Amino acid sequence: MKKPSKWLLIATAVLLFLTACGGKPQPPAPSGPFYPIPEKMRAVWVSYLELDRAFAGATVEGAKEYIDQVFERCVQTDINTVFFHVRANSDAYYSSDLFPAAESVSPLLSAGFDPLTYAVDAAHKRGISFHAWFNPYRIGEDKSRAVCEDVFELSGSWYYIPTSQNAQRCILEGVREVVDRYAVDGVQYDDYFYPTGIGEERQGFEPAVGSVLVEKQRQAAVNTLIAGTYSVVHSRDNCVFGVSPAGNIERCVKRQYADLSRWLKYPGYVDYLCPQLYSGFENQALPFETELHDFSSLTRLPGVRLFAGLALYKAGETDTFAGSGSGEWQQGGDILVRQAKAVEGAGYEGVALFRFTFWDTPANEVARQEISNLISYFYTE
């Protein structure tokens, strides 16, 4: 394996890379009555899990029908933004020259159908903002998906080495490919930065740099990727970049090395943050209102937006890690509305729901009631 570059050189290398990359033609301008970030966001995530289920073995017409169904459902339920998975495990859900096609999408691409082109167009025809969702470092269990050799393995899964100049270049080139070729309104990373099981000790792929602590080295590497991604996204007009970190700030900073305070406080990192506030009000370890106010209390630059990801998938289910509050979601019906109201009261500018399948096909009666109440709330705001 090629020895990764020292972290102090990463920032310079990224800037040189961004300068050297030639600009490609701008994608067609979207024509719908929407904005990259709506005034009040009501969003839903469409994950690779849904896409694999819908696309595997599907005809081109079947894939189109599914995509249209997604955005029709959004229109019917007052959703104005979709976070659509375009790369989950170093595999592309679009026509890519850089990353291997996702297994479920490969036959569709061979038939001349690009799901991302169709999905962006389907969103814009309906006035819905479309953000391309990436997992930047994650490769998954199949190492052959990696597009460079600077990778590491942890608990059976593979990841790109965050401090590797080569890995960062590949990730940024992949984002640029999507931003240049498709009329996406935004790019989003979620909480897959350093895997949480990596431990605090220095790994074999992490060269010591003087007396710099491994924690600071890791944070610097992630910061460089975030800043580089922001620059790539903003190389095109009317396109924004946001991150959806885990709802536990301490976990973000200490275990995933996501320097949230810096991203919000200084220019050139993010346009918005959408933390995954997936706890219930009665969660014993981290109640919803605690994580809600932890994020709202962070200093933000003017113009940097704050949204809240909500755990639709928990409706009617046992919340395993909530301690004495584990049964709260089973007896709910109005939890999401209460959370949406608390979000607004705390100064957030909208919500995002995880994920589309649970919105489109409620798993139980409690979930149906949660969705019905939330839709009513959307329409009366």
Side-chain angles (χ1 to χ4, degrees):
M1 182 179 70
K2 192 179 189 178
K3 185 177 180 180
S5 302
K6 294 182 179 179
W7 74 277
L8 288 173
L9 298 177
I10 291 178
T12 302
V14 170
L15 289 173
L16 288 173
F17 160 70
L18 293 173
T19 302
C21 283
K24 295 182 180 179
Q26 297 273 303
S31 57
F34 56 88
Y35 303 92
I37 307 180
E39 183 178 349
K40 183 171 289 186
M41 182 180 281
R42 295 181 295 275
V44 67
W45 278 280
V46 178
S47 85
Y48 78 101
L49 298 171
E50 281 128 344
L51 299 182
D52 283 345
R53 190 179 306 115
F55 293 158
T59 63
V60 168
E61 289 307 311
K64 289 181 179 179
E65 183 178 351
Y66 174 75
I67 293 170
D68 285 330
Q69 172 197 332
V70 168
F71 293 102
E72 278 300 308
R73 176 64 172 165
C74 290
V75 170
Q76 293 164 6
T77 56
D78 210 25
I79 296 293
N80 59 25
T81 306
V82 167
F83 304 140
F84 194 94
H85 235 150
V86 299
R87 195 164 71 243
N89 288 293
S90 194
D91 49 359
Y93 286 79
Y94 58 95
S95 179
S96 175
D97 296 332
L98 305 172
F99 287 82
E103 185 176 347
S104 64
V105 169
S106 185
L108 295 171
L109 293 172
S110 296
F113 175 69
D114 186 334
L116 185 52
T117 297
Y118 191 86
V120 172
D121 187 50
H124 289 167
K125 282 180 178 177
R126 295 166 174 86
I128 294 170
S129 184
F130 188 104
H131 291 216
W133 167 20
F134 295 77
N135 296 127
Y137 296 124
R138 194 170 68 177
I139 299 167
E141 296 180 359
D142 184 359
K143 184 184 179 183
S144 69
R145 290 174 177 165
V147 296
C148 77
E149 61 183 3
D150 291 350
V151 300
F152 70 97
E153 186 267 341
L154 182 70
S155 302
S157 292
W158 292 88
Y159 303 86
Y160 291 110
I161 296 173
T163 49
S164 162
Q165 175 187 329
N166 195 27
Q168 292 220 9
R169 182 186 299 113
C170 290
I171 294 167
L172 292 174
E173 285 177 344
V175 173
R176 183 180 292 277
E177 180 179 55
V178 168
V179 168
D180 282 351
R181 293 184 181 181
Y182 301 90
V184 300
D185 305 295
V187 166
Q188 184 183 111
Y189 288 165
D190 66 6
D191 62 331
Y192 287 96
F193 297 105
Y194 275 84
T196 53
I198 193 171
E200 297 179 0
E201 67 281 0
R202 189 179 301 279
Q203 304 295 303
F205 58 81
E206 296 179 304
V209 182
S211 60
V212 177
L213 298 175
V214 67
E215 176 183 345
K216 296 300 182 183
Q217 184 178 351
R218 290 173 179 176
Q219 281 188 357
V222 176
N223 284 343
T224 300
L225 180 69
I226 297 298
T229 305
Y230 181 93
S231 295
V232 168
V233 171
H234 280 265
S235 68
R236 208 199 81 201
D237 294 337
N238 299 317
C239 197
V240 296
F241 174 52
V243 177
S244 181
N248 186 324
I249 288 182
E250 183 177 1
R251 174 187 170 191
C252 289
V253 175
K254 297 296 185 181
R255 298 178 65 187
Q256 296 178 318
Y257 305 96
D259 194 356
L260 305 178
S261 295
R262 172 174 288 276
W263 303 350
L264 293 174
K265 191 185 300 182
Y266 297 102
Y269 287 99
V270 297
D271 296 296
Y272 71 88
L273 213 62
C274 184
Q276 300 166 29
L277 308 184
Y278 289 170
S279 294
F281 290 98
E282 299 173 15
N283 187 295
Q284 189 175 7
L286 184 64
F288 174 78
E289 289 181 320
T290 298
E291 57 182 4
L292 177 73
H293 294 294
D294 282 348
F295 278 91
S296 65
S297 65
L298 294 175
T299 300
R300 277 185 286 145
L301 282 171
V304 175
R305 311 281 295 278
L306 185 63
F307 310 107
L310 302 181
L312 173 61
Y313 70 97
K314 289 187 176 181
E317 305 294 336
T318 300
D319 194 356
T320 308
F321 301 105
S324 60
S326 63
E328 177 183 11
W329 291 91
Q330 291 177 306
Q331 303 164 25
D334 67 343
I335 295 174
L336 291 174
V337 168
R338 288 163 53 206
Q339 289 186 338
K341 291 178 178 178
V343 161
E344 186 172 9
Y348 290 65
E349 299 174 81
V351 299
L353 305 168
F354 189 80
R355 53 190 168 86
F356 177 76
T357 290
F358 299 96
W359 186 246
D360 183 51
T361 312
N364 51 65
E365 184 56 40
V366 171
R368 277 188 285 274
Q369 190 61 54
E370 290 278 3
I371 292 169
S372 176
N373 289 338
L374 195 55
I375 291 172
S376 296
Y377 174 73
F378 285 167
Y379 277 108
T380 56
E381 280 186 287

